[in-house]
């Protein structure tokens, strides 16, 4: 641990990652860090860069599957409040990369700022949402981004204006290590009308997701013009089980991890779904879930 001298309180070895992800499966991280502020984050990134240690950034773990054998290198978990600040300045909202996306949505609506309400009931952090350009109901987060403050792989802080970033369907051109902060430019609107719209969208979206107590994750990107869940259901795969991994009965694009489930079970089920949808419907499903 000499490479982490002075950071022993925030860097650990062989940290089990299952407890930090929604699915609750998988092995440990070789090194695991929970920085408490920006300076500690920069220090950790720079040291890892000097030692050629690969680095991954973990938000709230809703979109990550950890392999049973664990993750080599360093996992930095941005779960400290220092990375989750949300501030409203006139028609702009500044949100930390580790901030909760649902909290960003509700804060914007409460302040009478429209645009992000279409993202209601989508889990995750602001950083993960911007990196993957998440969207729903015909809108995506990228259309409201004004600038993004990042930490590069070398540990430098850089501000990327909107015109430097390409937002595509469920992806962006951002390849920096950490999204530190995002500034959104939104549209003023009457808060009560916005709140009504938010509630309607929330009810629709929650009805199409697994139950809250289930350990589950959304697996595939929706191909343009259709929904992955409809394709998986059309292939007759709803309720399909391998070991402790099950295709959700409520939404076939979610896999539920039941007690005793392993990452190997989930990977085998993912392979089965992709193969069957390809063979029966001629569509190659693209993963949305990150596999570490």
């Amino acid at each position: 641990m000499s490479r982490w001298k002075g950071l022993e309180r925030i860097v650990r070895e062989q940290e089990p990652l299952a407890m930090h992800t929604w699915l609750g499966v998988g092995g440990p991280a070789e090194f695991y860090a929970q920085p408490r502020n920006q300076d500690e984050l920069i220090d950790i990134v720079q040291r890892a860069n000097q030692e050629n240690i690969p680095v991954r950034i973990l938000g709230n773990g809703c979109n990550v599957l950890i392999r049973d054998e664990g993750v080599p290198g360093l996992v930095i978990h941005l779960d400290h409040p220092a990375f989750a600040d949300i501030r409203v300045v006139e028609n702009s909202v500044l949100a930390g990369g580790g901030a909760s996306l649902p909290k960003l949505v509700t804060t914007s609506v409460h302040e009478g700022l429209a645009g992000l309400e279409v993202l209601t009931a989508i889990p995750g952090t602001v950083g993960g949402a911007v990196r993957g350009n998440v969207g729903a109901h015909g809108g995506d987060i990228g259309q409201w981004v004004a600038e993004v403050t990042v930490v590069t792989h070398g540990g430098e802080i850089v501000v990327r204006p909107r015109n430097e970033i390409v937002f595509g369907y469920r992806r962006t051109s951002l390849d920096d290590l950490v999204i530190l902060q995002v500034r959104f430019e939104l549209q003023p609107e009457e808060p009560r009308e916005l709140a009504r719209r938010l509630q309607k969208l929330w009810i629709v979206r929650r009805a199409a997701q697994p139950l809250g107590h289930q350990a589950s994750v959304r697996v595939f990107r929706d191909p343009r013009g259709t929904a992955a869940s409809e394709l998986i259901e059309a292939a007759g795969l709803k309720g399909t089980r391998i070991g402790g991994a099950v295709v959700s009965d409520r939404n076939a694009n979610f896999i539920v991890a039941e007690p005793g489930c392993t990452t190997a079970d989930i990977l085998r089920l993912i392979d089965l779904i992709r193969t069957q949808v390809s063979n029966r419907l001629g569509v190659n499903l693209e993963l949305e879930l990150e596999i570490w």
Side-chain angles (χ1 to χ4, degrees):
M1 290 286 281
S2 60
R3 56 167 61 102
W4 309 116
K5 188 170 175 58
L7 297 172
E8 293 87 356
R9 292 185 64 180
I10 58 171
V11 181
R12 301 195 288 276
E13 292 190 55
Q14 298 301 312
E15 170 80 2
L17 291 177
M19 68 179 83
H20 300 300
T21 69
W22 281 34
L23 283 169
V25 299
E30 183 180 2
F31 302 108
Y32 172 86
Q34 289 176 291
R36 298 165 296 189
N37 53 56
Q38 188 172 292
D39 289 342
E40 288 182 348
L41 170 63
I42 298 298
D43 192 359
I44 292 165
V45 169
Q46 289 177 344
R47 292 200 208 187
N49 185 51
Q50 289 162 7
E51 300 267 349
N52 290 316
I53 297 172
V55 180
R56 293 180 183 272
I57 305 298
L58 181 65
N60 76 344
C62 69
N63 190 42
V64 176
L65 174 62
I66 309 296
R67 294 186 186 274
D68 290 322
E69 57 269 30
V71 180
L74 170 67
V75 172
I76 299 176
H77 196 179
L78 294 182
D79 62 343
H80 194 278
F83 304 104
D85 188 44
I86 298 175
R87 287 184 295 124
V88 178
V89 182
E90 296 181 341
N91 294 340
S92 293
V93 181
L94 290 94
S100 156
L101 180 61
K103 186 177 179 186
L104 169 66
V105 171
T106 54
T107 299
S108 303
V109 167
H110 181 74
E111 294 290 333
L113 294 172
L116 299 178
E117 66 279 358
V118 296
L119 307 177
T120 185
I122 297 178
T125 59
V126 170
V130 169
R131 193 180 295 279
N133 195 21
V134 301
H137 308 291
D140 57 49
I141 198 168
Q143 67 197 91
W144 305 104
V145 172
E147 67 178 25
V148 180
T149 304
V150 302
V151 178
T152 67
H153 290 269
E156 294 179 284
I157 297 176
V158 178
V159 177
R160 306 246 181 249
R162 166 68 193 229
N163 60 13
E164 278 187 18
I165 307 166
V166 178
F167 288 95
Y169 181 68
R170 303 298 172 260
R171 52 171 55 85
T172 70
S173 60
L174 286 166
D175 61 357
D176 297 291
L177 183 62
V178 181
I179 292 177
L180 261 189
Q181 187 183 72
V182 183
R183 181 166 65 84
F184 299 93
E185 288 284 352
L186 303 174
Q187 300 286 337
E189 198 170 314
E190 209 282 311
R192 279 178 298 184
E193 176 55 37
L194 259 181
R196 280 195 291 270
R197 194 153 78 233
L198 178 75
Q199 188 173 23
K200 286 180 184 175
L201 290 168
W202 189 87
I203 291 168
V204 169
R205 192 159 183 92
R206 288 302 299 166
Q209 292 182 357
L211 299 171
H213 68 273
Q214 293 179 310
S216 64
V217 72
R218 182 179 156 91
V219 184
F220 299 104
R221 288 192 173 98
D222 288 327
R224 282 195 178 278
T226 186
S229 59
E230 293 173 3
L231 294 170
I232 297 165
E233 189 171 351
L237 296 170
K238 235 183 186 184
T240 300
R241 170 189 298 273
I242 293 180
V246 188
V247 177
S248 170
D249 279 330
R250 284 169 68 93
N251 184 321
N253 194 22
F254 282 77
I255 287 178
V256 177
E258 296 190 340
C261 181
T262 65
T263 300
D265 294 338
I266 296 170
L267 291 174
R268 284 170 59 209
L269 187 53
I270 288 171
D271 284 343
L272 174 69
I273 294 168
R274 292 180 93 165
T275 300
Q276 296 285 7
V277 169
S278 178
N279 289 347
R280 297 179 187 182
L281 303 171
V283 179
N284 294 317
L285 290 175
E286 187 180 351
L287 272 179
E288 182 171 273
L289 178 65
E290 288 187 31
I291 300 172
W292 289 8

